[in-house]
Amino acid sequence: MTVSEYNNAVDKFSDGLFRFALKNTNNYENSKDIVQDAFTKLWEKRENVNSEKVKSYLYTTVYHMIIDSSNKAKRKVELKEVKLQPSNQNSSYMGLSQIVDEALSKLSKIQKSVILLRDYEGYSYEQIGGITGLTESQVKVYIYRARVTLKEYIVKLENVL
């Protein structure tokens, strides 16, 4: 991979990778770090990465970094004082984007990842399988189950009002 091909990859894929990471982590700064680290790894392995498979390499790297980040967060114990405020969701309108984000948060990590790769980023089932390490039929099952969960959540009237 040449410097020009690397720069083209940064221009073409950085926004999509960031959206993918942000939707999975819900953390702006962590998502920026993950994408930057993915491009750093690409640069370090530029001699071994085929320029035609850069997109798949980057999404696979980001996917694995999200999982690693999530596992680290689970091990890390932080005690925070939580101030609970009563919420009255029925009296305030939630935007569609907020409803979809909340519905996505109800999914498991793997379901969320495959849905985002398929519906937000437009990957094929085969490509998603390559990124996540799942078979094509497993990807289809996870996507189906995720869509059912999303539909059930979004259709509920109390979630929309």
Side-chain angles (χ1 to χ4, degrees):
M1 168 179 276
T2 66
V3 173
S4 175
E5 290 170 332
Y6 176 82
N7 289 335
N8 286 339
V10 172
D11 292 339
K12 284 174 78 173
F13 306 124
S14 59
D15 289 341
L17 287 167
F18 177 74
R19 283 191 311 272
F20 176 66
L22 184 60
K23 286 287 185 181
N24 274 288
T25 63
N26 293 322
N27 184 318
Y28 184 84
E29 293 300 322
N30 192 26
S31 298
K32 285 177 23 180
D33 292 342
I34 286 172
V35 172
Q36 184 174 357
D37 290 345
F39 280 108
T40 301
K41 285 185 179 188
L42 175 62
W43 179 254
E44 291 169 353
K45 298 185 181 205
R46 68 188 178 276
E47 300 299 326
N48 301 327
V49 177
N50 184 344
S51 62
E52 295 172 4
K53 297 186 179 188
V54 169
K55 184 176 180 182
S56 178
Y57 174 85
L58 286 168
Y59 273 91
T60 302
T61 303
V62 168
Y63 172 75
H64 289 292
M65 293 172 99
I66 289 168
I67 291 173
D68 291 345
S69 174
S70 174
N71 290 340
K72 286 178 188 175
K74 286 179 186 176
R75 288 189 303 256
K76 187 177 181 181
V77 177
E78 288 186 25
L79 299 176
K80 293 182 180 180
E81 185 177 323
V82 178
K83 187 176 182 180
L84 297 175
Q85 296 177 349
S87 66
N88 190 358
Q89 285 187 334
N90 292 336
S91 67
S92 63
Y93 171 76
M94 290 174 53
L96 183 58
S97 174
Q98 187 178 1
I99 293 169
V100 172
D101 287 343
E102 193 171 311
L104 284 170
S105 72
K106 304 292 183 195
L107 300 175
S108 69
K109 282 282 185 195
I110 188 68
Q111 287 178 334
K112 188 174 182 180
S113 294
V114 296
I115 276 289
L116 292 173
L117 286 169
R118 177 70 180 170
D119 295 337
Y120 279 71
E121 301 299 330
Y123 277 99
S124 69
Y125 296 119
E126 182 181 340
Q127 291 171 318
I128 295 170
I131 291 170
T132 60
L134 301 170
T135 66
E136 192 172 330
S137 60
Q138 288 174 312
V139 169
K140 289 178 182 178
V141 168
Y142 279 120
I143 289 174
Y144 172 77
R145 289 180 181 166
R147 286 179 177 161
V148 168
T149 302
L150 291 172
K151 179 181 173 186
E152 288 173 355
Y153 182 84
I154 292 172
V155 170
K156 289 182 183 177
L157 186 59
E158 63 268 12
N159 294 330
V160 178
L161 296 178

